[in-house]
Amino acid sequence: MIRGEKVGLRTRQDSDVQVFQAELYQDVATRSRVDSCPWRPLPPEAAESPAAAAAPADTKAYFSVVELSSRELAGEAMLWGVDPHNRTAHLGISLLPGFRGRGLAADVVRVLCEYGFAVRGLHRLQVETLADNAPMIAAATGAGFTVEGTLRRSAWVYGAFVDVVVLGLLVEEWAR
């Protein structure tokens, strides 16, 4: 487990899958805001289900987020699109509804940065989030990310096109 001040990131376990499926994936409106693919009804055991335990791969790293004080499952975190040649990756998090608003997101982002920079040796991490996702933008900027631009009306979200904000952090900007 990689530990921050409030959260730890651990390997996703089979017991996490049912929780992620019920609380994150089945919430169609919210899931449509965090995924670049359209929502489809998938059972948790389907290999393509985002809730399923991911097989190890060099291009992605999926974690379960555990709140350290309660030892409860709080959400998921990931590095995806890892490019070992350019040493870059994308960062994403999803907290379970009961754990939102507790200040955990900023710690999750910091721990993912530690994993990406110190463990994986990456040079750049990037976040893409909807322009109205103030909690994610605050968590990323609080961890040192810089807003690099806005992709105007580039995401189709539950019936409308919306803007996406791109944030980036270079290893030399990272404050451990």
Side-chain angles (χ1 to χ4, degrees):
M1 180 181 293
I2 303 170
R3 295 175 186 270
E5 293 177 18
K6 298 179 179 183
V7 300
L9 302 184
R10 65 162 168 76
T11 303
R12 185 175 290 183
Q13 300 172 355
D14 289 339
S15 60
D16 302 339
V17 173
Q18 292 296 332
V19 176
F20 292 153
Q21 181 78 11
E23 294 194 43
L24 295 176
Y25 190 72
Q26 292 299 337
D27 179 354
V28 179
T30 300
R31 186 69 198 186
S32 296
R33 295 177 49 78
V34 300
D35 203 337
S36 60
C37 301
W39 184 89
R40 297 179 302 144
L42 295 170
E45 64 275 2
E48 63 271 15
S49 171
D58 289 338
T59 59
K60 60 187 175 188
Y62 293 166
F63 298 96
S64 290
V65 176
V66 175
E67 183 182 46
L68 294 175
S69 63
S70 68
R71 309 293 296 161
E72 293 182 81
L73 180 65
E76 63 179 349
M78 67 221 51
L79 289 185
W80 56 275
V82 178
D83 178 342
H85 176 72
N86 293 306
R87 294 174 44 205
T88 62
H90 302 265
L91 178 151
I93 69 172
S94 290
L95 293 176
L96 299 173
F99 290 89
R100 295 176 189 156
R102 295 188 189 184
L104 300 179
D107 200 37
V108 174
V109 171
R110 285 190 291 272
V111 178
L112 275 175
C113 288
E114 180 177 345
Y115 174 76
F117 292 135
V119 176
R120 295 292 294 262
L122 298 175
H123 172 71
R124 173 188 165 80
L125 293 175
Q126 182 169 311
V127 172
E128 300 91 9
T129 190
L130 301 181
D132 66 354
N133 189 350
M136 185 62 201
I137 294 169
T141 56
F145 281 77
T146 299
V147 175
E148 296 179 334
T150 300
L151 304 173
R152 298 177 305 134
R153 296 180 58 195
S154 65
W156 177 254
V157 178
Y158 214 74
F161 284 104
V162 297
D163 293 350
V164 172
V165 174
V166 178
L167 302 100
L169 180 65
L170 303 177
V171 68
E172 59 266 19
E173 300 165 340
W174 175 51
R176 282 188 140 166

